[in-house]
Amino acid sequence: MEPLKGWTALITGASAGIGEACALALSGAGAQLVLAGRRRDRLEALAAKLRTPSHVLELDVRSRSEVEAALGALPAPFAEVDILVNNAGLGLGLEPAQSASLDDWEAMIDTNCKGLVYVARVLLPGMVQRNRGHVVNLGSVAGTFPYPGGNVYGATKAFVHQFSHNLKADLVGTRVRVTDVQPGMVETDFSLVRFRGDAERARKVYEGMQPLSPADIADIVLFSVTRPAHVNINVVEVMPADQGFGPFNVKRH
């Protein structure tokens, strides 16, 4: 059964982790894919694994001009994008706000917020014109639940949540749907990037517990985009069973 046969999906940050898992899941359901990311070699390796046709797109979502040019010049068989999985994003550092790096903050805002809206803005008009489409934005539980050192990362994911809701408000009356998927702890390269390649520190993040896998999140994305056309999954918040809600941060004197 191929519920997405005849559909084209574009996935940002497709070269690893959740993006790669989404590519495998959507291809398995029959969709052809545009694999967007900064690491062409990994995108090409992924494309070789897929069951359906794919187009590799080396793309840095932080560049508005690059996004507009690349997405405006997709080859004809891939030009009508039905599903956008806005997955490209990152967290950098865990320092408190008063000592955090402004460069890190800018990088997170440029990728998690600006890059996400650049891609969405280019693809939405076509979806609305064809009256068919689905935007899946990858948020995070960090957009709802703050933690020390989460500062701008959490704020960018709160932006993703509110942007998704406002997109849905604008698209009422069309058959273009919007879903915000908000994972908790997922074992990917996320922590390795956050700690700038410190593999030991990244490993400790998941030590002694079972985190979610990229395939878990891809399964939720696939479920959301294969509902009947009149059904919109607004938000999915998901955590591993070993993760919960933290206590209040109280400083005792």
Side-chain angles (χ1 to χ4, degrees):
M1 185 176 179
E2 296 185 328
L4 297 179
K5 189 174 179 62
W7 288 62
T8 298
L10 186 148
I11 303 170
T12 66
S15 60
I18 292 171
E20 179 180 15
C22 286
L24 292 167
L26 297 183
S27 175
Q32 63 174 16
L33 297 175
V34 178
L35 305 172
R38 292 186 292 167
R39 295 177 286 186
R40 174 173 286 275
D41 58 334
R42 297 189 67 159
L43 295 174
E44 290 175 345
L46 172 59
K49 300 177 189 175
L50 301 179
R51 297 177 55 244
T52 53
S54 61
H55 174 66
V56 168
L57 188 64
E58 191 171 346
L59 179 67
D60 186 344
V61 298
R62 296 174 298 180
S63 169
R64 175 178 168 181
S65 60
E66 191 176 326
V67 167
E68 290 174 340
L71 300 189
L74 290 171
F78 298 92
E80 294 188 354
V81 174
D82 303 296
I83 299 168
L84 166 60
V85 181
N86 251 328
N87 168 70
L90 78 168
L92 289 172
L94 267 180
E95 294 78 19
Q98 64 272 23
S99 57
S101 162
L102 270 174
D103 289 338
D104 286 353
W105 283 8
E106 278 195 323
M108 288 186 280
I109 292 167
D110 287 346
T111 306
N112 302 357
C113 299
K114 293 166 72 175
L116 181 139
V117 302
Y118 293 159
V119 178
R121 180 59 182 82
V122 172
L123 296 180
L124 273 170
M127 292 183 182
V128 172
Q129 183 180 30
R130 295 185 295 273
N131 201 32
R132 178 170 103 156
H134 202 136
V135 177
V136 180
N137 293 323
L138 264 293
S140 169
V141 296
T144 304
F145 306 106
Y147 56 86
N151 42 67
V152 166
Y153 176 72
T156 64
K157 293 305 184 176
F159 173 90
V160 171
H161 177 66
Q162 195 61 24
F163 179 64
S164 299
H165 275 348
N166 279 276
L167 277 185
K168 181 67 178 73
D170 288 341
L171 294 166
V172 167
T174 76
R175 286 299 175 97
V176 181
R177 301 179 292 180
V178 184
T179 301
D180 177 21
V181 179
Q182 302 178 345
M185 297 173 74
V186 184
E187 190 166 12
T188 65
D189 288 342
F190 177 85
S191 291
L192 196 64
V193 172
R194 167 167 265 175
F195 300 132
R196 290 179 169 76
D198 186 335
E200 178 63 19
R201 191 176 179 192
R203 185 185 62 79
K204 287 184 179 298
V205 172
Y206 311 106
E207 194 172 63
M209 56 88 66
Q210 183 177 358
L212 299 171
S213 72
D216 293 328
I217 307 308
D219 186 51
I220 291 168
V221 171
L222 179 61
F223 174 83
S224 299
V225 301
T226 53
R227 293 311 87 208
H230 68 287
V231 177
N232 191 96
I233 307 295
N234 294 333
V235 183
V236 180
E237 181 186 291
V238 54
M239 289 180 176
D242 287 340
Q243 184 182 13
F245 305 95
F248 284 116
N249 186 12
V250 178
K251 177 67 174 177
R252 307 290 180 182
H253 295 279

